[in-house]
């Protein structure tokens, strides 16, 4: 379970739950979920966004597996929903793609993540933590003139008039 920023860097990672569990169950049983639910992360207070007088809270973006909370946005359920809800779901989905791309970039660069790791659970946890640390180090320490050497432009989603082209692929 992880949280990332818009620069495809991991901010919070909770490693160690069984992979067969649903995201909602993992969240409920994780230290990360506990910290979010109990306001232990020093999330900034709601504030005005640029070009608006309205005050908005900081929130986490999630999928259908999660319960709706004031600090956790998830899509509207169902297929036959009004246009404004479809637009909301689309935009939420685009925001959630950031974490999907983050995991995808990490897996494309650290091949150990491409298949199940055959090792003791504590070893798998240590490997995963090492990958996250190295991944963030490489993402943050790219040279200014070579900002895409570790994360090439085509590793993240691209929007065009023809729609969204998915970025990363484990074949790269």
């Amino acid at each position: 379970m992880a949280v990332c920023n818009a620069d495809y860097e991991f901010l919070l990672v909770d490693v160690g739950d069984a992979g067969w569990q649903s995201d909602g169950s993992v969240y409920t049983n994780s230290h990360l979920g506990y910290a979010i639910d109990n306001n232990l992360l020093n999330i900034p207070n709601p504030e005005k966004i640029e070009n608006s007088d309205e005050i908005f809270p900081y929130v986490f973006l999630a999928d259908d597996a999660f319960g709706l909370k004031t600090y956790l946005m998830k899509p509207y359920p169902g297929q036959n929903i009004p246009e404004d809800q479809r637009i909301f779901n689309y935009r939420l989905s685009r925001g959630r793609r950031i974490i999907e791309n983050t995991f995808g970039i990490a897996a494309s660069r650290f091949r150990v993540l491409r298949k199940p790791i055959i090792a003791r659970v504590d070893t798998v946890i240590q490997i995963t933590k090492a990958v996250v640390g190295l991944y963030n180090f490489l993402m943050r320490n790219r040279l200014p003139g070579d900002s895409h050497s570790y994360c090439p432009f085509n590793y993240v989603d691209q929007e065009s008039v023809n729609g969204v082209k998915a970025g990363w692929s484990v074949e790269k």
Side-chain angles (χ1 to χ4, degrees):
M1 181 74 42
V3 175
C4 71
N5 64 17
D7 293 322
Y8 305 98
E9 298 168 348
F10 290 107
L11 298 178
L12 301 167
V13 178
D14 194 315
V15 182
D17 216 332
W20 53 264
Q21 289 188 359
S22 73
D23 287 347
S25 293
V26 171
Y27 176 84
T28 300
N29 297 322
S30 70
H31 295 291
L32 176 60
Y34 179 84
I36 293 169
D37 288 346
N38 291 284
N39 198 25
L40 302 175
L41 298 177
N42 296 320
I43 307 287
N45 290 323
E47 61 183 292
K48 291 180 185 179
I49 60 172
E50 198 173 311
N51 300 322
S52 175
D53 289 331
E54 290 192 57
I55 296 176
F56 291 94
Y58 286 85
V59 296
F60 295 94
L61 306 183
D63 61 23
D64 288 330
F66 294 82
L68 183 63
K69 309 205 180 198
T70 56
Y71 48 85
L72 199 140
M73 296 175 78
K74 62 182 267 180
Y76 287 100
Q79 296 287 341
N80 299 320
I81 56 177
E83 182 179 17
D84 61 333
Q85 292 179 6
R86 282 196 323 271
I87 291 169
F88 172 85
N89 283 357
Y90 172 77
R91 291 178 178 165
L92 182 74
S93 173
R94 291 292 298 126
R96 285 188 1 250
R97 288 286 304 159
I98 302 295
I99 191 68
E100 298 297 333
N101 282 320
T102 302
F103 277 114
I105 295 163
S108 72
R109 294 304 195 182
F110 292 91
R111 295 174 184 261
V112 69
L113 300 178
R114 291 189 184 183
K115 57 186 176 186
I117 302 170
I118 310 291
R120 293 188 335 261
V121 171
D122 59 322
T123 302
V124 173
I125 290 169
Q126 293 303 318
I127 290 169
T128 306
K129 287 179 179 179
V131 165
V132 168
L134 289 168
Y135 171 89
N136 276 352
F137 174 81
L138 292 168
M139 289 296 283
R140 290 181 183 151
N141 290 290
R142 295 175 281 175
L143 298 173
D146 192 21
S147 63
H148 297 289
S149 60
Y150 178 70
C151 179
F153 191 65
N154 63 339
Y155 271 43
V156 297
D157 291 353
Q158 305 298 316
E159 286 194 46
S160 71
V161 293
N162 298 325
V164 177
K165 180 180 179 274
W168 58 273
S169 165
V170 293
E171 284 78 39
K172 291 185 179 177

